Amino acid sequence: MSLRAFLIGLLFVAITSFIVSWAELVTKQIQIGFLQLPPVVIGLLFFLIITNRWLKKITKPLTPQELAVIFCMMLISSMISSRGLMEDLMPTMAGVNYLADPVNKWDKLFFPHIKKWLVPWNPHGPIKQDIVTG
């Protein structure tokens, strides 16, 4: 990854985050950030590719690898700035402990592989911890 791709990616991350946050929090009508291919990211990628074609006449254009890095940065920022992060990620993190019981033995199957810093509960502790059930 080049510094140029990283800096352009940061600019497009800011634009993506602004558009997604505005669309979901201000208008409260459009939910465009949590889809598999968010429309805002596809639109900005299209604009970037058109601009890249135009840059070919002036300077060195972005390589396909640089475009892929920028695209991935926009996808991640779209997911983080939308309601999709809290709607999907947080319940999944707590669900392993909440749904564990003596029958499915998730405490023995999954808990040893979960890092303590990744979840809000103690993977070395018991099932149905207070922070999860509360």
Side-chain angles (χ1 to χ4, degrees), residues 85-117:
L85 180 68
M86 291 300 143
E87 186 177 87
D88 297 329
L89 181 63
M90 298 307 252
T92 302
M93 288 171 37
V96 176
N97 189 285
Y98 183 79
L99 298 172
D101 60 28
V103 175
N104 62 23
K105 297 180 181 152
W106 282 8
D107 55 333
K108 292 176 181 50
L109 288 172
F110 297 122
F111 287 17
H113 305 290
I114 297 174
K115 303 293 183 200
K116 190 173 183 175
W117 56 266

Short mmCIF file of all heavy atoms in Angstrom, two decimals, residues 85-117:
data_model
loop_
_atom_site.label_atom_id
_atom_site.label_comp_id
_atom_site.label_asym_id
_atom_site.label_seq_id
_atom_site.Cartn_x
_atom_site.Cartn_y
_atom_site.Cartn_z
N LEU A 85 -23.07 -1.61 12.74
CA LEU A 85 -22.08 -2.06 13.71
C LEU A 85 -22.75 -2.42 15.03
O LEU A 85 -22.54 -3.50 15.57
CB LEU A 85 -21.02 -0.98 13.93
CG LEU A 85 -19.93 -1.34 14.93
CD1 LEU A 85 -19.06 -2.43 14.37
CD2 LEU A 85 -19.12 -0.13 15.28
N MET A 86 -23.57 -1.54 15.55
CA MET A 86 -24.21 -1.82 16.82
C MET A 86 -25.31 -2.87 16.69
O MET A 86 -25.58 -3.61 17.61
CB MET A 86 -24.81 -0.54 17.41
CG MET A 86 -23.79 0.45 17.84
SD MET A 86 -22.74 -0.27 19.11
CE MET A 86 -21.18 0.43 18.69
N GLU A 87 -25.94 -2.92 15.53
CA GLU A 87 -27.04 -3.86 15.33
C GLU A 87 -26.55 -5.30 15.17
O GLU A 87 -27.22 -6.24 15.57
CB GLU A 87 -27.81 -3.45 14.08
CG GLU A 87 -29.07 -4.25 13.85
CD GLU A 87 -29.80 -3.74 12.64
OE1 GLU A 87 -29.48 -4.20 11.52
OE2 GLU A 87 -30.67 -2.89 12.79
N ASP A 88 -25.39 -5.49 14.61
CA ASP A 88 -24.89 -6.83 14.33
C ASP A 88 -23.71 -7.26 15.20
O ASP A 88 -23.69 -8.37 15.70
CB ASP A 88 -24.48 -6.93 12.85
CG ASP A 88 -25.64 -6.72 11.92
OD1 ASP A 88 -26.77 -7.06 12.29
OD2 ASP A 88 -25.42 -6.21 10.81
N LEU A 89 -22.74 -6.39 15.36
CA LEU A 89 -21.51 -6.78 16.05
C LEU A 89 -21.70 -6.95 17.56
O LEU A 89 -21.29 -7.95 18.13
CB LEU A 89 -20.40 -5.78 15.77
CG LEU A 89 -19.05 -6.09 16.42
CD1 LEU A 89 -18.51 -7.39 15.87
CD2 LEU A 89 -18.09 -4.96 16.19
N MET A 90 -22.34 -5.99 18.20
CA MET A 90 -22.47 -6.05 19.65
C MET A 90 -23.29 -7.26 20.12
O MET A 90 -22.86 -7.96 21.05
CB MET A 90 -23.07 -4.74 20.19
CG MET A 90 -22.19 -3.55 19.90
SD MET A 90 -20.52 -3.80 20.47
CE MET A 90 -20.50 -2.73 21.84
N PRO A 91 -24.45 -7.55 19.52
CA PRO A 91 -25.16 -8.75 19.96
C PRO A 91 -24.38 -10.04 19.70
O PRO A 91 -24.48 -10.99 20.47
CB PRO A 91 -26.45 -8.73 19.13
CG PRO A 91 -26.62 -7.32 18.73
CD PRO A 91 -25.25 -6.76 18.59
N THR A 92 -23.62 -10.06 18.64
CA THR A 92 -22.82 -11.26 18.34
C THR A 92 -21.75 -11.47 19.40
O THR A 92 -21.48 -12.59 19.81
CB THR A 92 -22.19 -11.13 16.95
OG1 THR A 92 -23.22 -10.95 16.00
CG2 THR A 92 -21.38 -12.36 16.60
N MET A 93 -21.15 -10.37 19.85
CA MET A 93 -20.10 -10.48 20.86
C MET A 93 -20.65 -11.02 22.19
O MET A 93 -20.01 -11.81 22.86
CB MET A 93 -19.43 -9.12 21.07
CG MET A 93 -18.57 -8.70 19.92
SD MET A 93 -17.94 -7.01 19.98
CE MET A 93 -17.61 -6.71 21.66
N ALA A 94 -21.84 -10.58 22.57
CA ALA A 94 -22.42 -11.02 23.83
C ALA A 94 -23.19 -12.34 23.68
O ALA A 94 -23.36 -13.07 24.65
CB ALA A 94 -23.35 -9.95 24.38
N GLY A 95 -23.63 -12.64 22.49
CA GLY A 95 -24.46 -13.81 22.26
C GLY A 95 -23.80 -15.13 22.57
O GLY A 95 -24.48 -16.09 22.96
N VAL A 96 -22.52 -15.21 22.40
CA VAL A 96 -21.82 -16.47 22.67
C VAL A 96 -21.97 -16.86 24.13
O VAL A 96 -22.22 -18.01 24.46
CB VAL A 96 -20.32 -16.37 22.27
CG1 VAL A 96 -19.58 -17.62 22.63
CG2 VAL A 96 -20.19 -16.07 20.79
N ASN A 97 -21.83 -15.88 25.01
CA ASN A 97 -21.98 -16.17 26.44
C ASN A 97 -23.45 -16.32 26.81
O ASN A 97 -23.80 -17.20 27.59
CB ASN A 97 -21.35 -15.05 27.26
CG ASN A 97 -21.29 -15.40 28.74
OD1 ASN A 97 -22.31 -15.37 29.42
ND2 ASN A 97 -20.11 -15.74 29.20
N TYR A 98 -24.31 -15.50 26.26
CA TYR A 98 -25.73 -15.54 26.60
C TYR A 98 -26.38 -16.87 26.18
O TYR A 98 -27.21 -17.41 26.90
CB TYR A 98 -26.44 -14.37 25.92
CG TYR A 98 -27.90 -14.27 26.26
CD1 TYR A 98 -28.30 -13.72 27.47
CD2 TYR A 98 -28.87 -14.73 25.39
CE1 TYR A 98 -29.64 -13.62 27.79
CE2 TYR A 98 -30.22 -14.64 25.70
CZ TYR A 98 -30.60 -14.08 26.91
OH TYR A 98 -31.92 -13.99 27.22
N LEU A 99 -26.01 -17.37 25.02
CA LEU A 99 -26.63 -18.59 24.50
C LEU A 99 -25.92 -19.88 24.93
O LEU A 99 -26.38 -20.97 24.64
CB LEU A 99 -26.70 -18.53 22.98
CG LEU A 99 -27.57 -17.39 22.42
CD1 LEU A 99 -27.41 -17.30 20.92
CD2 LEU A 99 -29.01 -17.57 22.81
N ALA A 100 -24.80 -19.74 25.62
CA ALA A 100 -24.08 -20.93 26.09
C ALA A 100 -24.87 -21.61 27.20
O ALA A 100 -25.46 -20.95 28.05
CB ALA A 100 -22.69 -20.54 26.60
N ASP A 101 -24.88 -22.92 27.16
CA ASP A 101 -25.54 -23.69 28.22
C ASP A 101 -24.83 -25.04 28.35
O ASP A 101 -23.98 -25.38 27.54
CB ASP A 101 -27.04 -23.84 27.96
CG ASP A 101 -27.37 -24.56 26.67
OD1 ASP A 101 -26.57 -25.39 26.21
OD2 ASP A 101 -28.46 -24.30 26.13
N PRO A 102 -25.15 -25.80 29.36
CA PRO A 102 -24.47 -27.10 29.56
C PRO A 102 -24.70 -28.08 28.42
O PRO A 102 -23.88 -28.97 28.21
CB PRO A 102 -25.08 -27.62 30.86
CG PRO A 102 -25.57 -26.42 31.58
CD PRO A 102 -26.00 -25.45 30.52
N VAL A 103 -25.78 -27.92 27.67
CA VAL A 103 -26.06 -28.86 26.59
C VAL A 103 -25.16 -28.63 25.38
O VAL A 103 -24.55 -29.55 24.85
CB VAL A 103 -27.55 -28.78 26.17
CG1 VAL A 103 -27.82 -29.68 24.98
CG2 VAL A 103 -28.45 -29.15 27.34
N ASN A 104 -25.04 -27.37 24.93
CA ASN A 104 -24.22 -27.12 23.74
C ASN A 104 -22.72 -26.98 24.06
O ASN A 104 -21.90 -27.00 23.16
CB ASN A 104 -24.73 -25.89 22.96
CG ASN A 104 -24.66 -24.61 23.73
OD1 ASN A 104 -23.90 -24.45 24.68
ND2 ASN A 104 -25.48 -23.65 23.32
N LYS A 105 -22.38 -26.82 25.31
CA LYS A 105 -20.98 -26.77 25.77
C LYS A 105 -20.14 -25.71 25.06
O LYS A 105 -18.96 -25.92 24.76
CB LYS A 105 -20.32 -28.14 25.63
CG LYS A 105 -20.98 -29.19 26.48
CD LYS A 105 -20.31 -30.52 26.32
CE LYS A 105 -21.06 -31.49 27.20
NZ LYS A 105 -21.05 -32.83 26.78
N TRP A 106 -20.76 -24.57 24.77
CA TRP A 106 -20.01 -23.49 24.11
C TRP A 106 -18.90 -22.96 25.00
O TRP A 106 -17.90 -22.45 24.50
CB TRP A 106 -20.96 -22.36 23.74
CG TRP A 106 -21.76 -22.64 22.51
CD1 TRP A 106 -21.84 -23.82 21.81
CD2 TRP A 106 -22.60 -21.73 21.82
NE1 TRP A 106 -22.67 -23.70 20.75
CE2 TRP A 106 -23.17 -22.41 20.72
CE3 TRP A 106 -22.95 -20.42 22.02
CZ2 TRP A 106 -24.04 -21.81 19.84
CZ3 TRP A 106 -23.83 -19.81 21.14
CH2 TRP A 106 -24.36 -20.51 20.05
N ASP A 107 -19.08 -23.08 26.32
CA ASP A 107 -18.03 -22.59 27.21
C ASP A 107 -16.74 -23.37 27.02
O ASP A 107 -15.65 -22.83 27.17
CB ASP A 107 -18.48 -22.63 28.67
CG ASP A 107 -18.95 -24.01 29.11
OD1 ASP A 107 -19.41 -24.79 28.25
OD2 ASP A 107 -18.85 -24.29 30.32
N LYS A 108 -16.84 -24.62 26.63
CA LYS A 108 -15.63 -25.43 26.38
C LYS A 108 -15.19 -25.34 24.93
O LYS A 108 -14.01 -25.42 24.62
CB LYS A 108 -15.88 -26.87 26.77
CG LYS A 108 -16.05 -27.05 28.27
CD LYS A 108 -16.39 -28.46 28.64
CE LYS A 108 -16.58 -28.66 30.10
NZ LYS A 108 -17.48 -27.76 30.78
N LEU A 109 -16.15 -25.16 24.01
CA LEU A 109 -15.82 -25.12 22.59
C LEU A 109 -15.28 -23.76 22.14
O LEU A 109 -14.29 -23.69 21.40
CB LEU A 109 -17.07 -25.45 21.74
CG LEU A 109 -17.55 -26.89 21.75
CD1 LEU A 109 -18.88 -27.01 21.03
CD2 LEU A 109 -16.52 -27.77 21.07
N PHE A 110 -15.95 -22.68 22.55
CA PHE A 110 -15.62 -21.36 22.02
C PHE A 110 -14.87 -20.45 22.97
O PHE A 110 -14.01 -19.68 22.56
CB PHE A 110 -16.90 -20.65 21.55
CG PHE A 110 -17.60 -21.35 20.44
CD1 PHE A 110 -18.91 -21.76 20.59
CD2 PHE A 110 -16.96 -21.62 19.25
CE1 PHE A 110 -19.57 -22.42 19.56
CE2 PHE A 110 -17.61 -22.28 18.22
CZ PHE A 110 -18.92 -22.67 18.37
N PHE A 111 -15.20 -20.50 24.27
CA PHE A 111 -14.61 -19.56 25.21
C PHE A 111 -13.08 -19.56 25.20
O PHE A 111 -12.47 -18.49 25.27
CB PHE A 111 -15.11 -19.83 26.63
CG PHE A 111 -16.54 -19.42 26.88
CD1 PHE A 111 -17.42 -19.18 25.84
CD2 PHE A 111 -17.01 -19.29 28.17
CE1 PHE A 111 -18.74 -18.83 26.08
CE2 PHE A 111 -18.32 -18.93 28.43
CZ PHE A 111 -19.19 -18.70 27.37
N PRO A 112 -12.40 -20.71 25.10
CA PRO A 112 -10.94 -20.68 25.10
C PRO A 112 -10.33 -19.95 23.90
O PRO A 112 -9.19 -19.51 23.96
CB PRO A 112 -10.54 -22.17 25.07
CG PRO A 112 -11.71 -22.90 25.59
CD PRO A 112 -12.91 -22.10 25.16
N HIS A 113 -11.10 -19.80 22.84
CA HIS A 113 -10.57 -19.17 21.62
C HIS A 113 -10.91 -17.68 21.53
O HIS A 113 -10.48 -17.00 20.60
CB HIS A 113 -11.10 -19.88 20.38
CG HIS A 113 -10.82 -21.35 20.39
ND1 HIS A 113 -9.54 -21.85 20.24
CD2 HIS A 113 -11.62 -22.42 20.58
CE1 HIS A 113 -9.58 -23.18 20.30
NE2 HIS A 113 -10.83 -23.54 20.51
N ILE A 114 -11.68 -17.17 22.47
CA ILE A 114 -12.09 -15.76 22.45
C ILE A 114 -11.12 -14.96 23.31
O ILE A 114 -10.87 -15.28 24.47
CB ILE A 114 -13.53 -15.62 22.97
CG1 ILE A 114 -14.49 -16.37 22.04
CG2 ILE A 114 -13.93 -14.16 23.06
CD1 ILE A 114 -15.91 -16.43 22.54
N LYS A 115 -10.59 -13.89 22.73
CA LYS A 115 -9.65 -13.02 23.44
C LYS A 115 -10.42 -12.15 24.44
O LYS A 115 -11.51 -11.67 24.15
CB LYS A 115 -8.89 -12.12 22.47
CG LYS A 115 -8.14 -12.87 21.40
CD LYS A 115 -7.00 -13.65 21.99
CE LYS A 115 -6.22 -14.34 20.89
NZ LYS A 115 -5.43 -15.43 21.35
N LYS A 116 -9.83 -11.92 25.58
CA LYS A 116 -10.49 -11.16 26.64
C LYS A 116 -10.77 -9.72 26.22
O LYS A 116 -11.78 -9.14 26.59
CB LYS A 116 -9.64 -11.19 27.91
CG LYS A 116 -10.34 -10.64 29.11
CD LYS A 116 -9.54 -10.85 30.37
CE LYS A 116 -10.32 -10.32 31.55
NZ LYS A 116 -9.68 -10.59 32.80
N TRP A 117 -9.89 -9.13 25.43
CA TRP A 117 -10.07 -7.74 25.01
C TRP A 117 -11.15 -7.58 23.94
O TRP A 117 -11.60 -6.47 23.66
CB TRP A 117 -8.75 -7.16 24.48
CG TRP A 117 -8.15 -7.95 23.35
CD1 TRP A 117 -7.20 -8.93 23.46
CD2 TRP A 117 -8.45 -7.86 21.96
NE1 TRP A 117 -6.91 -9.45 22.23
CE2 TRP A 117 -7.66 -8.80 21.27
CE3 TRP A 117 -9.32 -7.07 21.21
CZ2 TRP A 117 -7.71 -8.97 19.90
CZ3 TRP A 117 -9.36 -7.23 19.83
CH2 TRP A 117 -8.55 -8.18 19.20
#
